[in-house]
Amino acid sequence: MGSTPGPLVEIEVGDDPIAWASLDFAVGDDGVTRIGHVDVRLAGAHDERGRGIVGWTLDASAPAGDVDGLPTAYTVARHRAADRGAAPPVAHPNGVIGIDHLVVMTPDLDRTTEALGAVGLEARRTREAGGGRRQRFFRLGEVILEVVGPARPAGEGPAAFWGLALTVADIAATAAHLAGRLSEPKAAVQADRRIATLRPGNDVSVPIAVMSATPAPGGRAGS
């Protein structure tokens, strides 16, 4: 991929590597599948932290500690952006080429925004999502962080990781490759893009959608 790596270095997931390999992600012997410039580390279904997304690592100089309840690790020297950008992209048989966005849920959107700002992540825009909810977007290099919360605070609970939207080179080809595991592609909110939802079963605990790539100027995304 030609994009520049951002501050998101790694996502940890409480799933077994074999579960993601069954969806034709290329998973290494170390339990890591690299999607774009981000490592997805599959910690196992019996990890003590539970299932779903259990943590992330940011390439940032920041005080140790969670971000509004999001389990967070920090690293600078080991994952310099230039080093990560030089590594070739991994070819996944399912056609996935990157992470489009990572979704976080929060009961207090402004509180979580402030916590993210404290580690250098600035909100880019806010969108009304309907039903009294708002979406706030941040840039993590090639990945968009989407934080979803109520228009007014609805409690003091922590923010929590929710799901992933992955970019594919050709959504029709991915749908055919994962026939029976993927919903019928439909129009996405984003113009000229299509989206489908993965039916993961019990082995993959992260809600996952796949999206067609952003069209090049003057072109169209694959359908």
Side-chain angles (χ1 to χ4, degrees), residues 183-210:
S183 68
E184 186 71 22
K186 63 181 182 180
V189 172
Q190 298 85 345
D192 296 323
R193 299 185 70 185
R194 296 180 67 76
I195 189 169
T197 303
L198 186 69
R199 300 186 182 102
N202 295 324
D203 295 333
V204 175
S205 61
V206 179
I208 294 175
V210 300

Side-chain angles (χ1 to χ4, degrees), residues 127-151:
R127 175 180 179 272
E128 298 295 333
R133 297 185 306 158
R134 290 177 177 165
Q135 298 164 300
R136 190 159 289 164
F137 300 94
F138 303 74
R139 263 289 175 190
L140 306 174
E142 66 191 16
V143 179
I144 296 168
L145 172 62
E146 176 186 334
V147 182
V148 182

Side-chain angles (χ1 to χ4, degrees), residues 101-104 106 108-114 116 121-129 133-139 144-151:
H101 56 275
L102 164 64
V103 181
V104 163
T106 177
D108 189 330
L109 192 56
D110 289 338
R111 186 197 68 202
T112 302
T113 299
E114 183 178 352
L116 291 166
L121 304 180
E122 296 184 4
R124 298 297 185 92
R125 71 182 182 94
T126 301
R127 175 180 179 272
E128 298 295 333
R133 297 185 306 158
R134 290 177 177 165
Q135 298 164 300
R136 190 159 289 164
F137 300 94
F138 303 74
R139 263 289 175 190
I144 296 168
L145 172 62
E146 176 186 334
V147 182
V148 182

Side-chain angles (χ1 to χ4, degrees), residues 47-70:
D47 188 273
E48 62 183 10
R49 293 167 294 179
R51 306 296 305 280
I53 299 173
V54 297
W56 64 354
T57 299
L58 301 177
D59 192 346
S61 298
D66 294 351
V67 178
D68 199 28
L70 301 173

